[in-house]
Amino acid sequence: KNQVEQSPQSLIILEGKNCTLQCNYTVSPFSNLRWYKQDTGRGPVSLTIMTFSENTKSNGRYTATLDADTKQSSLHITASQLSDSASYICVVSLDSNYQLIWGAGTKLIIKP
Amino acid sequence: NAGVTQTPKFRILKIGQSMTLQCTQDMNHNYMYWYRQDPGMGLKLIYYSVGAGITDKGEVPNGYNVSRSTTEDFPLRLELAAPSQTSVYFCASSYPRGQGAHEQYFGPGTRLTVT
């Protein structure tokens, strides 16, 4: 069964600290992996998209990594800011590219 | 550009009522999608469209209908609302970027409660 699992479910860190969010997937056939940020009460916003041939991609303070062999991805946030408080969702795309398997997300809270 | 807009933002329906959730995008994207998001769960695809006049079922289509008469609009119809349809509904549109990956852009969502 195609699944995307994220850990931890929730995380609280202090402003300025770094953190890493994890994503494991069992999706086949795999096309690409995305990370989205979803603020409370808003729609998801794309952070990164990686194909199976890419093992790292950055977007400002966000760096995503992908290990297609172990089917794991991580999202590293550097020097966290209060505005980083949100849910971060890992999404894996099947070959069709518009059929996506969504994780349940990690809820990140940044405390001042 | 307004991007993807959805109306209404909130709605309460009684069991058995019907309604249409509106979605419009001004980015000239061919692909459009409807998702639902339940608490603690990943988004589930309800219906999608690859262009005007073409729609197809996603993972959870039962109880819903869609139409796509123009590139811009993709309304979602709920017939005979049931409590199980209480959810947050997101509309999205996309275009193909590098290596065929589709960048999806989301609307702000409609929070629907059926009682």
Side-chain angles (χ1 to χ4, degrees):
Chain A
K1 183 183 177 185
N2 290 322
Q3 278 188 319
V4 175
E5 295 185 350
Q6 294 186 243
S7 62
Q9 235 177 350
S10 62
L11 181 63
I12 302 173
I13 64 172
L14 291 175
E15 185 180 10
K17 298 295 188 184
N18 302 337
C19 67
T20 301
L21 314 180
Q22 301 290 345
C23 172
N24 295 335
Y25 62 92
T26 55
V27 176
S28 181
F30 170 87
S31 177
N32 55 71
L33 186 144
R34 308 142 187 251
W35 283 93
Y36 280 85
K37 178 186 180 188
Q38 185 176 22
D39 292 317
T40 301
R42 309 287 294 270
V45 174
S46 178
L47 293 175
T48 63
I49 298 179
M50 290 183 291
T51 65
F52 65 87
S53 61
E54 297 174 292
N55 55 24
T56 187
K57 184 161 279 190
S58 292
N59 178 358
R61 294 179 296 102
Y62 301 101
T63 300
T65 65
L66 172 64
D67 185 334
D69 291 331
T70 62
K71 298 189 176 181
Q72 294 180 325
S73 176
S74 65
L75 181 69
H76 185 75
I77 304 174
T78 304
S80 61
Q81 301 176 358
L82 296 178
S83 59
D84 292 332
S85 293
S87 286
Y88 291 85
I89 308 174
C90 177
V91 188
V92 180
S93 174
L94 298 171
D95 254 0
S96 67
N97 256 310
Y98 46 82
Q99 298 209 33
L100 308 178
I101 309 298
W102 292 74
T106 292
K107 186 174 176 63
L108 177 64
I109 298 172
I110 310 298
K111 286 195 176 291
Chain B
N1 286 353
V4 180
T5 57
Q6 293 182 237
T7 57
K9 283 188 168 45
F10 304 93
R11 184 73 186 269
I12 299 174
L13 279 183
K14 293 191 186 307
I15 294 171
Q17 287 185 322
S18 300
M19 77 165 293
T20 299
L21 281 65
Q22 301 292 345
C23 174
T24 300
Q25 54 94 7
D26 62 0
M27 297 175 282
N28 203 32
H29 290 170
N30 282 338
Y31 296 81
M32 295 188 74
Y33 317 80
W34 274 105
Y35 292 93
R36 60 177 288 171
Q37 185 176 34
D38 299 321
M41 306 286 287
L43 272 70
K44 301 288 187 189
L45 183 65
I46 304 171
Y47 271 95
Y48 64 97
S49 169
V50 301
I54 306 169
T55 63
D56 209 347
K57 296 177 181 179
E59 189 180 354
V60 290
N62 291 346
Y64 307 94
N65 276 301
V66 294
S67 59
R68 184 94 184 271
S69 56
T70 66
T71 298
E72 295 78 20
D73 300 306
F74 190 40
L76 177 72
R77 178 83 177 160
L78 276 72
E79 306 281 2
L80 299 175
S84 61
Q85 292 178 306
T86 294
S87 188
V88 181
Y89 292 84
F90 288 102
C91 178
S93 69
S94 77
Y95 72 97
R97 49 181 283 177
Q99 300 193 37
H102 281 242
E103 177 77 70
Q104 292 196 9
Y105 293 82
F106 284 80
T110 294
R111 186 175 295 274
L112 175 67
T113 302
V114 182
T115 62

